[in-house]
Coordinates of all heavy atoms in Angstrom, one line a residue:
M1 N 90.8 79.7 111.3 CA 91.4 80.7 110.4 C 91.3 82.1 111.1 O 90.3 82.4 111.6 CB 90.8 80.7 109.1 CG 91.2 79.6 108.1 SD 90.3 79.6 106.6 CE 91.4 80.6 105.6
T2 N 92.3 82.9 110.9 CA 92.3 84.3 111.4 C 91.5 85.1 110.4 O 91.3 84.8 109.3 CB 93.7 84.8 111.6 OG1 94.3 85.0 110.3 CG2 94.5 84.0 112.5
K3 N 91.1 86.3 110.9 CA 90.4 87.3 110.0 C 91.3 87.6 108.8 O 90.8 87.7 107.7 CB 90.2 88.6 110.8 CG 88.9 88.7 111.4 CD 88.7 90.1 111.9 CE 87.2 90.5 111.8 NZ 86.9 91.7 112.4
K4 N 92.6 87.7 109.0 CA 93.5 88.1 107.9 C 93.5 86.9 106.9 O 93.4 87.2 105.7 CB 94.9 88.3 108.5 CG 96.0 88.6 107.5 CD 97.3 88.9 108.2 CE 98.4 88.7 107.3 NZ 99.7 89.0 108.0
E5 N 93.6 85.7 107.3 CA 93.6 84.6 106.4 C 92.3 84.5 105.6 O 92.3 84.2 104.4 CB 93.9 83.3 107.2 CG 95.2 83.1 107.7 CD 95.4 82.0 108.7 OE1 94.4 81.6 109.3 OE2 96.5 81.5 108.8
I6 N 91.2 84.7 106.3 CA 89.9 84.7 105.6 C 89.8 85.8 104.6 O 89.4 85.5 103.4 CB 88.7 84.8 106.6 CG1 88.7 83.5 107.5 CG2 87.4 85.0 106.0 CD1 87.8 83.7 108.8
F7 N 90.2 87.0 104.9 CA 90.2 88.1 104.0 C 91.1 87.8 102.8 O 90.6 88.0 101.6 CB 90.6 89.4 104.7 CG 90.8 90.6 103.8 CD1 89.7 91.1 103.0 CD2 92.0 91.1 103.5 CE1 89.9 92.1 102.1 CE2 92.2 92.2 102.6 CZ 91.1 92.7 101.9
L8 N 92.3 87.4 103.0 CA 93.2 87.1 101.9 C 92.7 86.0 101.0 O 92.8 86.1 99.8 CB 94.6 86.8 102.4 CG 95.4 88.0 103.1 CD1 96.7 87.5 103.6 CD2 95.6 89.1 102.1
H9 N 92.0 85.0 101.6 CA 91.4 83.9 100.8 C 90.3 84.5 99.9 O 90.2 84.1 98.7 CB 90.8 82.9 101.7 CG 90.1 81.8 101.0 ND1 90.8 80.8 100.3 CD2 88.8 81.5 100.8 CE1 90.0 80.0 99.7 NE2 88.7 80.4 100.0
H10 N 89.5 85.4 100.4 CA 88.4 86.0 99.6 C 89.0 87.0 98.5 O 88.3 87.2 97.5 CB 87.4 86.7 100.5 CG 86.5 85.8 101.3 ND1 85.7 84.9 100.7 CD2 86.4 85.7 102.6 CE1 85.1 84.2 101.6 NE2 85.5 84.7 102.8
L11 N 90.2 87.5 98.7 CA 90.8 88.4 97.8 C 91.6 87.7 96.7 O 92.0 88.3 95.7 CB 91.7 89.4 98.6 CG 92.1 90.7 97.9 CD1 90.8 91.5 97.6 CD2 93.0 91.5 98.8
K12 N 91.7 86.4 96.8 CA 92.5 85.6 95.8 C 91.8 85.8 94.4 O 90.6 85.8 94.3 CB 92.5 84.1 96.1 CG 93.3 83.8 97.3 CD 94.7 83.6 96.9 CE 95.6 83.1 98.1 NZ 97.0 83.3 97.9
G13 N 92.7 85.9 93.4 CA 92.2 86.1 92.1 C 92.4 84.9 91.2 O 93.1 83.9 91.7
K14 N 91.9 84.9 90.0 CA 92.0 83.7 89.1 C 93.3 83.9 88.3 O 94.1 82.9 88.2 CB 90.8 83.6 88.2 CG 89.6 83.2 88.9 CD 88.4 83.1 88.0 CE 87.1 82.8 88.8 NZ 85.9 83.0 88.1
N15 N 93.5 85.0 87.7 CA 94.7 85.3 86.9 C 95.8 85.9 87.7 O 97.0 85.8 87.3 CB 94.3 86.1 85.7 CG 93.3 85.4 84.8 OD1 93.3 84.2 84.7 ND2 92.4 86.2 84.2
L16 N 95.5 86.7 88.6 CA 96.5 87.4 89.5 C 96.5 86.8 90.8 O 95.6 86.0 91.2 CB 96.1 88.9 89.6 CG 96.0 89.7 88.3 CD1 95.4 91.1 88.6 CD2 97.4 89.9 87.7
T17 N 97.6 87.1 91.6 CA 97.6 86.5 93.0 C 96.4 87.0 93.8 O 95.8 86.2 94.4 CB 98.9 87.0 93.6 OG1 100.0 86.6 92.8 CG2 99.1 86.3 95.0
Y18 N 96.2 88.3 93.7 CA 95.0 88.9 94.4 C 94.3 89.8 93.4 O 94.8 90.4 92.5 CB 95.5 89.7 95.6 CG 96.0 88.9 96.7 CD1 97.4 88.9 96.9 CD2 95.2 88.1 97.5 CE1 97.9 88.1 98.0 CE2 95.8 87.3 98.5 CZ 97.1 87.3 98.7 OH 97.6 86.6 99.7
K19 N 92.9 89.9 93.7 CA 92.1 90.9 92.9 C 92.3 92.3 93.5 O 92.8 92.5 94.6 CB 90.6 90.5 93.1 CG 90.3 89.1 92.5 CD 88.8 88.8 92.7 CE 88.6 88.4 94.2 NZ 87.2 87.9 94.4
R20 N 91.8 93.2 92.7 CA 91.9 94.6 93.2 C 90.9 94.8 94.3 O 89.8 94.4 94.3 CB 91.5 95.5 92.0 CG 91.5 97.0 92.3 CD 91.1 97.9 91.1 NE 91.8 97.6 89.9 CZ 93.0 98.2 89.6 NH1 93.6 99.0 90.5 NH2 93.6 97.9 88.5
Y21 N 91.4 95.5 95.4 CA 90.6 95.9 96.5 C 89.8 97.2 96.2 O 90.4 98.2 95.9 CB 91.4 96.0 97.8 CG 90.6 96.3 99.0 CD1 89.9 95.3 99.6 CD2 90.5 97.5 99.6 CE1 89.1 95.5 100.7 CE2 89.7 97.8 100.7 CZ 89.0 96.7 101.3 OH 88.2 97.0 102.4
T22 N 88.5 97.1 96.2 CA 87.7 98.2 95.6 C 86.9 99.0 96.6 O 86.0 99.8 96.3 CB 86.8 97.7 94.5 OG1 85.9 96.7 95.1 CG2 87.5 97.1 93.4
K23 N 87.1 98.9 97.9 CA 86.3 99.6 98.9 C 86.8 101.0 99.2 O 86.1 101.7 99.9 CB 86.2 98.8 100.2 CG 85.4 97.5 100.0 CD 85.0 96.9 101.3 CE 84.2 95.6 101.0 NZ 83.9 94.9 102.2
S24 N 87.9 101.4 98.7 CA 88.4 102.8 98.8 C 87.6 103.6 97.8 O 87.4 103.3 96.7 CB 89.9 102.9 98.5 OG 90.2 104.3 98.5
P25 N 87.1 104.8 98.3 CA 86.4 105.7 97.3 C 87.2 106.4 96.3 O 86.7 107.0 95.4 CB 85.7 106.7 98.3 CG 86.6 106.7 99.5 CD 87.2 105.4 99.6
L26 N 88.5 106.3 96.4 CA 89.4 107.0 95.5 C 90.3 106.1 94.7 O 90.7 105.1 95.2 CB 90.4 107.9 96.3 CG 89.9 109.1 97.0 CD1 91.0 109.8 97.8 CD2 89.2 110.1 96.1
R27 N 90.5 106.4 93.4 CA 91.5 105.8 92.6 C 92.6 106.9 92.5 O 92.4 108.0 92.2 CB 91.0 105.5 91.2 CG 90.0 104.4 91.1 CD 90.6 103.0 91.4 NE 91.7 102.6 90.6 CZ 91.6 101.9 89.5 NH1 90.5 101.6 89.0 NH2 92.7 101.6 88.8
Y28 N 93.8 106.5 92.9 CA 94.9 107.5 93.0 C 96.1 107.0 92.2 O 96.5 105.8 92.2 CB 95.3 107.6 94.5 CG 96.0 108.8 94.9 CD1 95.4 110.0 95.0 CD2 97.4 108.7 95.2 CE1 96.1 111.2 95.4 CE2 98.1 109.8 95.6 CZ 97.5 111.1 95.6 OH 98.2 112.2 96.0
G29 N 96.8 108.0 91.6 CA 98.0 107.6 90.8 C 99.0 106.9 91.7 O 99.3 107.4 92.7
G30 N 99.5 105.8 91.2 CA 100.5 105.0 92.0 C 99.8 104.3 93.2 O 100.4 103.8 94.1
G31 N 98.5 104.1 93.1 CA 97.7 103.5 94.1 C 98.1 102.0 94.3 O 98.7 101.4 93.4
K32 N 97.7 101.5 95.4 CA 98.1 100.1 95.8 C 96.9 99.1 95.8 O 97.0 98.1 96.5 CB 98.8 100.1 97.2 CG 100.1 100.9 97.2 CD 100.7 101.1 98.5 CE 100.0 102.1 99.4 NZ 100.0 103.5 98.9
S33 N 95.8 99.5 95.1 CA 94.6 98.6 95.2 C 94.9 97.2 94.7 O 94.2 96.3 95.2 CB 93.5 99.3 94.4 OG 93.8 99.4 93.1
L34 N 95.8 97.0 93.8 CA 96.2 95.6 93.3 C 97.2 95.0 94.3 O 97.3 93.8 94.2 CB 96.7 95.7 91.9 CG 95.7 95.7 90.8 CD1 96.4 95.9 89.4 CD2 94.9 94.4 90.8
A35 N 97.8 95.7 95.1 CA 98.8 95.2 96.0 C 98.4 95.0 97.4 O 99.1 94.5 98.3 CB 100.1 96.1 96.0
V36 N 97.1 95.2 97.7 CA 96.6 95.1 99.1 C 96.9 93.8 99.7 O 97.4 93.7 100.8 CB 95.1 95.5 99.1 CG1 94.5 95.1 100.5 CG2 94.9 97.0 98.9
G37 N 96.6 92.7 99.0 CA 96.8 91.4 99.5 C 98.3 91.1 99.8 O 98.6 90.6 100.8
L38 N 99.1 91.5 98.8 CA 100.6 91.3 99.0 C 101.1 92.1 100.2 O 102.0 91.6 100.9 CB 101.3 91.7 97.7 CG 101.0 90.8 96.5 CD1 101.6 91.4 95.3 CD2 101.5 89.4 96.7
I39 N 100.6 93.3 100.4 CA 101.1 94.1 101.5 C 100.6 93.6 102.8 O 101.3 93.5 103.8 CB 100.7 95.6 101.3 CG1 101.4 96.2 100.1 CG2 100.9 96.4 102.5 CD1 100.9 97.5 99.6
L40 N 99.3 93.3 102.9 CA 98.7 92.8 104.1 C 99.3 91.4 104.5 O 99.4 91.1 105.7 CB 97.2 92.7 104.1 CG 96.5 94.1 104.0 CD1 95.0 93.9 104.0 CD2 96.9 95.0 105.1
E41 N 99.8 90.6 103.6 CA 100.5 89.4 103.9 C 101.7 89.7 104.8 O 102.0 88.8 105.7 CB 101.0 88.7 102.7 CG 100.0 87.9 101.9 CD 100.7 87.2 100.7 OE1 101.9 87.5 100.4 OE2 100.0 86.5 100.0
Q42 N 102.3 90.8 104.6 CA 103.6 91.1 105.3 C 103.3 91.7 106.7 O 104.3 91.8 107.5 CB 104.4 92.1 104.5 CG 104.7 91.6 103.1 CD 105.4 90.3 103.1 OE1 106.3 90.0 103.8 NE2 104.9 89.4 102.2
I43 N 102.1 92.1 107.0 CA 101.8 92.7 108.3 C 101.5 91.6 109.3 O 100.7 90.7 109.1 CB 100.6 93.7 108.2 CG1 100.9 94.8 107.3 CG2 100.2 94.2 109.6 CD1 99.8 95.8 107.0
P44 N 102.2 91.6 110.5 CA 102.0 90.5 111.4 C 100.6 90.5 111.9 O 99.9 91.5 112.1 CB 103.0 90.9 112.6 CG 104.0 91.8 112.0 CD 103.3 92.5 110.8
S45 N 100.1 89.3 112.2 CA 98.7 89.1 112.6 C 98.3 89.7 113.9 O 97.1 90.0 114.1 CB 98.4 87.6 112.6 OG 98.5 87.0 111.4
D46 N 99.3 90.0 114.7 CA 99.0 90.6 116.0 C 99.1 92.2 116.0 O 99.0 92.8 117.1 CB 99.9 90.1 117.1 CG 101.3 90.3 116.9 OD1 101.7 90.7 115.8 OD2 102.1 90.1 117.8
T47 N 99.2 92.7 114.8 CA 99.3 94.2 114.7 C 98.0 94.9 115.1 O 96.9 94.4 114.7 CB 99.6 94.6 113.2 OG1 100.9 94.0 112.9 CG2 99.7 96.1 113.0
K48 N 98.1 95.9 115.9 CA 96.9 96.6 116.4 C 96.8 98.0 115.8 O 95.7 98.6 115.8 CB 97.0 96.7 117.9 CG 96.9 95.3 118.6 CD 96.8 95.4 120.1 CE 96.7 94.2 120.9 NZ 96.8 92.9 120.2
R49 N 97.9 98.6 115.3 CA 97.9 99.9 114.8 C 98.8 100.0 113.6 O 99.9 99.5 113.6 CB 98.4 100.9 115.8 CG 98.4 102.4 115.3 CD 98.9 103.4 116.3 NE 98.0 103.4 117.4 CZ 98.4 103.7 118.6 NH1 99.7 104.0 118.9 NH2 97.6 103.8 119.6
L50 N 98.3 100.6 112.5 CA 99.1 100.8 111.3 C 99.3 102.3 111.1 O 98.3 103.1 111.1 CB 98.3 100.2 110.1 CG 98.9 100.4 108.7 CD1 100.1 99.6 108.5 CD2 97.9 100.0 107.6
I51 N 100.5 102.7 111.0 CA 100.8 104.1 110.7 C 101.3 104.3 109.3 O 102.3 103.7 108.9 CB 101.8 104.7 111.7 CG1 101.3 104.5 113.2 CG2 102.2 106.1 111.4 CD1 102.2 104.8 114.3
S52 N 100.6 105.0 108.5 CA 100.9 105.2 107.1 C 101.3 106.6 106.8 O 100.5 107.5 106.9 CB 99.7 104.8 106.3 OG 99.9 105.0 104.9
P53 N 102.6 106.8 106.3 CA 103.0 108.2 106.0 C 102.4 108.7 104.7 O 102.5 109.9 104.5 CB 104.5 108.0 105.9 CG 104.7 106.6 105.5 CD 103.6 105.8 106.1
F54 N 102.0 107.8 103.8 CA 101.5 108.3 102.5 C 100.1 107.6 102.2 O 100.1 106.5 101.6 CB 102.5 108.0 101.3 CG 103.9 108.4 101.7 CD1 104.9 107.5 102.0 CD2 104.2 109.8 101.6 CE1 106.1 108.0 102.3 CE2 105.4 110.2 101.9 CZ 106.4 109.3 102.2
I55 N 99.0 108.2 102.6 CA 97.7 107.5 102.4 C 97.3 107.3 101.0 O 96.7 106.3 100.6 CB 96.6 108.1 103.3 CG1 95.4 107.1 103.3 CG2 96.3 109.5 102.9 CD1 94.4 107.4 104.3
G56 N 97.5 108.4 100.2 CA 97.1 108.3 98.8 C 95.6 108.0 98.6 O 94.7 108.5 99.3
G57 N 95.3 106.9 97.9 CA 93.9 106.4 97.7 C 93.4 105.6 98.9 O 92.2 105.3 98.9
G58 N 94.3 105.2 99.8 CA 93.9 104.6 101.0 C 93.5 103.1 100.9 O 92.9 102.6 101.9
S59 N 93.8 102.4 99.8 CA 93.4 101.0 99.7 C 93.9 100.1 100.8 O 93.1 99.4 101.4 CB 93.8 100.5 98.4 OG 93.1 101.1 97.3
V60 N 95.1 100.2 101.1 CA 95.7 99.4 102.2 C 95.1 99.8 103.5 O 94.7 98.9 104.3 CB 97.3 99.5 102.2 CG1 97.8 98.8 103.4 CG2 97.8 98.9 100.9
E61 N 95.0 101.1 103.8 CA 94.5 101.6 105.0 C 93.1 101.2 105.3 O 92.7 100.8 106.4 CB 94.8 103.1 105.1 CG 96.2 103.5 105.1 CD 96.9 103.5 103.7 OE1 96.2 103.3 102.7 OE2 98.1 103.8 103.7
V62 N 92.3 101.4 104.2 CA 90.8 101.0 104.3 C 90.7 99.5 104.6 O 89.9 99.1 105.4 CB 90.1 101.5 103.1 CG1 88.7 100.9 103.0 CG2 90.0 103.0 103.0
A63 N 91.4 98.7 103.9 CA 91.4 97.3 104.0 C 91.8 96.9 105.5 O 91.1 96.0 106.1 CB 92.2 96.5 103.0
A64 N 92.9 97.5 105.9 CA 93.4 97.1 107.3 C 92.3 97.5 108.3 O 92.0 96.7 109.3 CB 94.7 97.9 107.6
A65 N 91.7 98.7 108.2 CA 90.7 99.1 109.1 C 89.4 98.3 109.1 O 88.9 97.8 110.1 CB 90.4 100.6 108.9
L66 N 88.8 98.2 107.8 CA 87.5 97.5 107.7 C 87.6 96.0 107.8 O 86.7 95.4 108.4 CB 86.9 97.9 106.3 CG 86.5 99.3 106.1 CD1 85.9 99.5 104.7 CD2 85.5 99.8 107.2
E67 N 88.6 95.4 107.2 CA 88.6 94.0 107.1 C 89.3 93.3 108.3 O 89.0 92.2 108.7 CB 89.3 93.5 105.8 CG 88.8 94.2 104.6 CD 87.3 93.9 104.2 OE1 86.8 93.0 104.7 OE2 86.8 94.6 103.4
L68 N 90.3 94.0 108.9 CA 91.2 93.4 109.9 C 91.0 94.1 111.3 O 91.7 93.7 112.2 CB 92.6 93.4 109.5 CG 92.9 92.7 108.1 CD1 94.4 92.8 107.8 CD2 92.4 91.3 108.1
D69 N 90.2 95.1 111.3 CA 90.0 95.8 112.6 C 91.3 96.4 113.2 O 91.5 96.4 114.4 CB 89.3 95.0 113.6 CG 87.9 94.5 113.2 OD1 87.2 95.4 112.5 OD2 87.5 93.4 113.5
I70 N 92.1 96.9 112.3 CA 93.4 97.5 112.8 C 93.2 99.0 112.8 O 92.6 99.6 111.9 CB 94.6 97.2 111.8 CG1 94.8 95.7 111.8 CG2 95.8 98.0 112.1 CD1 95.9 95.2 110.8
E71 N 93.6 99.7 113.9 CA 93.5 101.1 114.0 C 94.5 101.7 113.0 O 95.7 101.2 112.9 CB 93.9 101.6 115.4 CG 94.0 103.1 115.6 CD 94.5 103.5 116.9 OE1 95.0 102.7 117.7 OE2 94.5 104.7 117.1
V72 N 94.1 102.7 112.2 CA 95.0 103.3 111.2 C 95.2 104.8 111.5 O 94.2 105.5 111.7 CB 94.3 103.1 109.8 CG1 95.2 103.9 108.7 CG2 94.2 101.6 109.4
L73 N 96.4 105.2 111.5 CA 96.8 106.6 111.5 C 97.5 106.9 110.2 O 98.5 106.3 109.9 CB 97.7 106.9 112.7 CG 97.2 106.6 114.1 CD1 98.3 106.8 115.1 CD2 96.0 107.5 114.4
A74 N 96.9 107.8 109.4 CA 97.4 108.0 108.1 C 97.7 109.4 107.8 O 97.0 110.3 108.3 CB 96.4 107.4 107.0
F75 N 98.8 109.7 107.0 CA 99.2 111.0 106.8 C 99.6 111.2 105.3 O 99.7 110.2 104.6 CB 100.5 111.3 107.6 CG 100.3 111.1 109.1 CD1 100.5 109.9 109.6 CD2 99.9 112.2 109.9 CE1 100.3 109.7 111.0 CE2 99.7 112.0 111.2 CZ 99.9 110.7 111.8
D76 N 99.7 112.4 104.8 CA 100.1 112.7 103.5 C 100.5 114.2 103.4 O 100.0 115.0 104.2 CB 99.0 112.4 102.5 CG 99.6 112.1 101.1 OD1 100.1 113.0 100.4 OD2 99.6 110.9 100.7
I77 N 101.4 114.6 102.5 CA 101.8 116.0 102.4 C 100.7 116.8 101.6 O 100.7 118.0 101.7 CB 103.2 116.1 101.8 CG1 103.7 117.5 102.0 CG2 103.1 115.7 100.3 CD1 105.2 117.6 101.7
F78 N 99.9 116.1 100.9 CA 98.9 116.8 100.0 C 97.7 117.1 100.9 O 96.9 116.3 101.2 CB 98.5 115.8 98.9 CG 97.7 116.4 97.8 CD1 97.8 117.7 97.4 CD2 96.7 115.6 97.2 CE1 96.9 118.3 96.5 CE2 95.9 116.1 96.2 CZ 96.0 117.5 95.8
D79 N 97.6 118.4 101.3 CA 96.5 118.8 102.2 C 95.1 118.5 101.8 O 94.3 118.2 102.6 CB 96.7 120.2 102.7 CG 96.6 121.2 101.5 OD1 96.7 120.8 100.3 OD2 96.4 122.4 101.8
I80 N 94.8 118.7 100.5 CA 93.5 118.4 100.0 C 93.1 116.9 100.2 O 92.0 116.6 100.6 CB 93.3 118.8 98.5 CG1 93.5 120.3 98.4 CG2 92.0 118.3 98.0 CD1 93.6 120.8 97.0
L81 N 94.1 116.1 100.0 CA 93.9 114.6 100.2 C 93.6 114.3 101.7 O 92.7 113.6 102.1 CB 95.1 113.9 99.7 CG 95.0 112.3 99.7 CD1 93.9 111.9 98.8 CD2 96.3 111.8 99.2
V82 N 94.4 114.9 102.5 CA 94.3 114.7 104.0 C 92.9 115.2 104.5 O 92.3 114.5 105.2 CB 95.4 115.5 104.8 CG1 95.2 115.5 106.2 CG2 96.8 114.8 104.4
N83 N 92.5 116.4 104.0 CA 91.2 116.9 104.3 C 90.0 116.0 103.8 O 89.0 115.8 104.5 CB 91.0 118.3 103.8 CG 91.8 119.3 104.5 OD1 92.2 119.1 105.6 ND2 92.1 120.4 103.8
F84 N 90.2 115.3 102.7 CA 89.2 114.3 102.2 C 89.1 113.2 103.2 O 88.0 112.8 103.6 CB 89.6 113.8 100.8 CG 88.7 112.7 100.4 CD1 87.5 112.9 99.8 CD2 89.1 111.4 100.6 CE1 86.7 111.9 99.4 CE2 88.3 110.3 100.2 CZ 87.1 110.6 99.6
W85 N 90.2 112.6 103.6 CA 90.2 111.5 104.5 C 89.8 111.9 105.9 O 89.2 111.3 106.7 CB 91.5 110.8 104.6 CG 91.7 110.0 103.3 CD1 92.7 110.2 102.4 CD2 91.0 108.8 102.9 NE1 92.6 109.3 101.4 CE2 91.6 108.5 101.6 CE3 89.9 108.1 103.4 CZ2 91.1 107.4 100.9 CZ3 89.5 107.0 102.7 CH2 90.0 106.7 101.5

């Protein structure tokens, strides 16, 4: 099994397809913490770098970096948010 398959297996939920990914320190309006599994399913397994134009709460980006060892370059127009990250 690949790292991605193992991670997605651990993220599986009982009532939902996937559980909320909770390792991001921010909860953000319109956040993707419940969609992390669905989004990461779509990223090819040989991906080495993820470029994100809207980091927001960073759930997908944190999961990609921590769980899948993918380099992440993330951006946002909200300067306070960018400075936080």
Side-chain angles (χ1 to χ4, degrees):
M1 282 178 91
T2 66
K3 265 188 149 177
K4 179 176 159 181
E5 292 169 334
I6 293 168
F7 172 65
L8 291 175
H9 176 74
H10 288 301
L11 201 59
K12 288 279 185 196
K14 292 180 183 169
N15 298 329
L16 300 171
T17 305
Y18 291 106
K19 298 179 280 189
R20 182 180 304 277
Y21 184 75
T22 59
K23 290 192 180 177
S24 172
L26 293 178
R27 290 292 303 269
Y28 198 75
K32 297 174 284 297
S33 61
L34 275 173
V36 167
L38 296 171
I39 293 168
L40 292 182
E41 278 181 356
Q42 305 305 313
I43 297 175
S45 294
D46 62 347
T47 299
K48 294 185 180 5
R49 180 183 296 152
L50 175 68
I51 300 173
S52 176
F54 309 108
I55 190 168
S59 294
V60 171
E61 295 80 2
V62 169
L66 291 180
E67 311 295 345
L68 306 180
D69 296 326
I70 296 174
E71 177 188 6
V72 175
L73 300 175
F75 304 88
D76 206 290
I77 196 167
F78 188 35
D79 61 341
I80 295 172
L81 186 64
V82 171
N83 290 336
F84 173 82
W85 287 113

